[in-house]
Amino acid sequence: MLSSKLQDALNAQINLELSSSYAYLAMASHFESNALPGMANWMRIQSEEERTHAMKLFDHMNDRGGKVVLQPIPQPTHDFDTPLSVFESALHHEQTVTKAINNLYALAQAESDYPSQVMLQWFINEQVEEEKNAMTAIDQLKMAGGNPSALLMLDQMYGNRTAEPAGGAD
Ligand code: FEO
């Protein structure tokens, strides 16, 4: 049985993942309306992945007899600048999520909740991947500088991003 403290923290994490999904969706729309469909694709897939993260926590709560309490999702920003700055804010966001996951893991350890620790290990690995993906995009956008052809080439590349196989979120 999940402690009420851990339930509260998991509910907060569900909210953070859904908020992330919403934030990336706003970024997808921004790129879509700024003639960068590949970057829009990257963000849309990211948004979908965040929902699978929320659902993984949702399932864990229900499987363990916890009570999911969905909380309001804040309005994401629609105020964007260059593609580089959008990906920089994505990285900043992921760093916040990583801290939240690490805190959750520490709480699961403090409470000797072993199933939660095992479940959260997936998220710890996933956060390494999430930060790496954002950092790679930032490095590439920095290399492109203000060169429109390089930007369009990157956009085409990001258009090839596909969703993780269904098992990826298990
Ligand atoms: Fe679900 Fe991007 O953290």
Side-chain angles (χ1 to χ4, degrees):
M1 181 74 180
L2 287 160
S3 72
S4 64
K5 212 169 160 184
L6 201 49
Q7 285 190 50
D8 289 348
L10 286 166
N11 274 318
Q13 190 65 32
I14 289 172
N15 183 264
L16 184 56
E17 300 291 348
L18 291 174
S19 302
S20 304
S21 177
Y22 227 38
Y24 288 123
L25 199 56
M27 292 176 189
S29 175
H30 166 75
F31 284 131
E32 201 65 65
S33 59
N34 281 276
L36 290 166
M39 293 189 193
N41 172 66
W42 195 102
M43 289 296 175
R44 184 185 285 232
I45 286 171
Q46 188 62 37
S47 174
E48 285 163 8
E49 277 191 13
E50 297 301 352
R51 192 170 182 284
T52 68
H53 297 171
M55 293 314 292
K56 195 174 172 67
L57 297 160
F58 178 99
D59 289 341
H60 181 76
M61 283 277 264
N62 285 316
D63 290 350
R64 303 276 319 282
K67 184 173 165 60
V68 170
V69 180
L70 296 174
Q71 293 152 13
I73 299 171
Q75 183 179 24
T77 184
H78 288 85
D79 191 14
F80 298 110
D81 195 8
T82 60
L84 174 61
S85 73
V86 177
F87 279 90
E88 279 173 341
S89 64
L91 174 61
H92 182 71
H93 185 80
E94 287 307 325
Q95 287 165 338
T96 304
V97 175
T98 299
K99 273 190 204 130
I101 292 289
N102 291 347
N103 288 341
L104 254 177
Y105 190 80
L107 180 61
Q109 276 187 320
E111 309 234 330
S112 301
D113 187 320
Y114 301 110
S116 291
Q117 287 174 47
V118 171
M119 185 271 298
L120 288 166
Q121 274 164 11
W122 182 90
F123 280 89
I124 291 170
N125 285 328
E126 178 68 7
Q127 281 313 117
V128 173
E129 187 72 19
E130 298 273 82
E131 289 193 25
K132 185 194 84 176
N133 289 344
M135 283 190 288
T136 302
I138 288 168
D139 288 345
Q140 289 169 336
L141 284 162
K142 280 183 178 163
M143 272 186 253
N147 183 328
S149 335
L151 188 67
L152 289 176
M153 212 175 74
L154 283 179
D155 187 65
Q156 205 168 33
M157 208 167 89
Y158 296 169
N160 294 330
R161 182 179 182 185
T162 52
E164 276 181 11
D170 288 342

